[in-house]
Amino acid sequence: MIADQAMTWTPRHPTDLGRTVGVLRRGAGDPTFHRGADGSFWRTTRTPSGDATVRYSQVGADELRAQAWGPGAADAVAEAPVVLGDGDDPASFDPIIPLLAEAHRRFPGIRMLRTGRVLEALVPAILEQKVITLQAHDSWRALVRRFGDEAPGPVPPGLGRPMKLAPTAEVWRRIPSWEWHRAGVDPQRSRTIVTAARHAARLEEASTMSPTDAAARLMVMPGVGVWTAAEVAQRAFGDPDALAVGDYHLANYLGHALWGRDMTDDEMVEAMRPWAGHRQRVVRLLGAAGVAGKPKRGPRMPFVDHRAI
């Protein structure tokens, strides 16, 4: 496969490609993301210069490579080091406790990636509001396949079908109500996405702001709260402190993983103060290390089929 643009570089910090870029994947069969059998990762995106398909791969022990196709290939390759966490500096992270120190030692290559694409991160985050993850991923897959554009470049080996680009802001705005319903998305979440799409240009400006100002810009949108803003910050802004307060499971997960008890969101926020500036890094390290949270005996979020309502 001869790419339109390509670059190989040595990252500033050790980089575990899969654990870094894998957070962009929205479930099995995500049309915008693919993991190759050879360990490569494929992603589609819309750059300022146009659409692009990017393939990220490890080259030897220390180098990374980005290959891209499409009108936005040059942009996609140029921004690849930043996307893969080149701006993420863990030097100020103090694990404090042995559990985190060991996880940090075992997984030094977890980087906080930064795509700079707000709407690409915001729409799937809104779809994940107040529903189980499987439902949100089903909705994302259905909507992207139905309304997204075919991605430029080759079909990744073994995939069997072309990748897709997420719909543009204009297309998100124009999806009719029955198509949202058909995809299992209730009116509240669809309205939030449509409203965000109408203000996409202003929202994209958040990628150049401080974390506080970026969160404030996002939360101006009706239906976008602290949890959704944090989910965007984790992917679009590379914020190592973006703690998803309001998550259905996170407070109890961290409570049991670190302190052996249930916690409310307020208690979690207070307890995480020692890691201020790196709270999302703590979550990622615990997950990579397979640290268990609360035993799965509590209530689970119910499955609500909005297509039947």
Side-chain angles (χ1 to χ4, degrees):
M1 296 177 291
I2 300 176
D4 296 337
Q5 297 284 335
M7 177 175 67
T8 301
W9 75 99
T10 301
R12 294 173 58 228
H13 306 286
T15 302
D16 183 323
L17 182 58
R19 295 185 189 278
T20 296
V21 78
V23 298
L24 296 179
R25 179 177 180 262
R26 302 291 182 163
D30 181 349
T32 71
F33 191 92
H34 175 68
R35 178 173 184 170
D38 60 356
S40 62
F41 292 85
W42 298 65
R43 164 181 170 248
T44 67
T45 188
R46 298 184 189 273
T47 79
S49 297
D51 303 338
T53 298
V54 198
R55 178 184 183 270
Y56 305 112
S57 58
Q58 192 91 34
V59 182
D62 302 319
E63 292 184 321
L64 297 175
R65 182 167 176 80
Q67 300 163 277
W69 296 263
D75 281 350
V77 164
E79 69 190 18
V82 172
V83 170
L84 297 183
D86 217 40
D88 175 38
D89 188 356
S92 63
F93 174 60
D94 182 356
I96 300 175
I97 62 174
L99 176 66
L100 285 172
E102 175 63 12
H104 192 41
R105 183 193 68 78
R106 289 175 57 200
F107 302 100
I110 294 177
R111 302 271 69 80
M112 303 296 115
L113 87 170
R114 179 188 176 93
T115 68
R117 308 280 187 267
V118 175
L119 199 64
E120 283 182 11
L122 179 58
V123 171
I126 293 169
L127 289 175
E128 292 177 8
Q129 292 175 350
K130 296 182 173 30
V131 298
I132 63 175
T133 305
L134 181 62
Q135 285 179 272
H137 290 168
D138 285 347
S139 298
W140 170 252
R141 185 168 57 250
L143 290 164
V144 173
R145 285 182 178 168
R146 175 76 175 84
F147 297 102
D149 298 319
E150 187 170 312
V155 175
L159 183 58
R161 68 167 76 189
M163 294 184 72
K164 303 279 280 193
L165 292 142
T168 64
E170 184 62 25
V171 171
W172 284 122
R173 287 175 53 189
R174 295 186 176 185
I175 294 176
S177 59
W178 61 86
E179 292 286 2
W180 291 108
H181 188 267
R182 183 179 175 186
V185 182
D186 60 274
Q188 180 176 341
R189 285 181 295 152
S190 63
R191 281 195 301 268
T192 300
I193 292 171
V194 170
T195 301
R198 287 183 182 136
H199 300 279
R202 294 284 286 162
L203 291 174
E204 295 294 343
E205 293 172 359
S207 65
T208 66
M209 298 176 177
S210 70
T212 299
D213 290 344
R217 174 65 62 87
L218 291 172
M219 289 190 291
V220 166
M221 293 292 103
V224 176
V226 174
W227 179 87
T228 307
E231 289 290 310
V232 173
Q234 292 166 17
R235 295 165 175 83
F237 308 150
D239 185 354
D241 196 47
L243 188 67
V245 178
D247 187 272
Y248 192 72
H249 301 289
L250 185 61
N252 282 336
Y253 171 75
L254 289 177
H256 281 266
L258 296 174
W259 297 281
R261 66 180 180 88
D262 286 354
M263 280 190 168
T264 65
D265 280 340
D266 288 344
E267 289 172 329
M268 173 186 69
V269 170
E270 180 62 30
M272 292 292 286
R273 283 184 183 275
W275 295 284
H278 296 276
R279 295 176 300 172
Q280 176 58 22
R281 196 184 307 279
V282 169
V283 175
R284 296 280 302 282
L285 285 170
L286 291 173
V291 177
K294 183 177 181 178
K296 297 181 180 180
R297 296 191 296 268
R300 296 182 178 182
M301 184 176 289
F303 181 96
V304 179
D305 189 351
H306 293 282
R307 294 167 296 183
I309 298 176

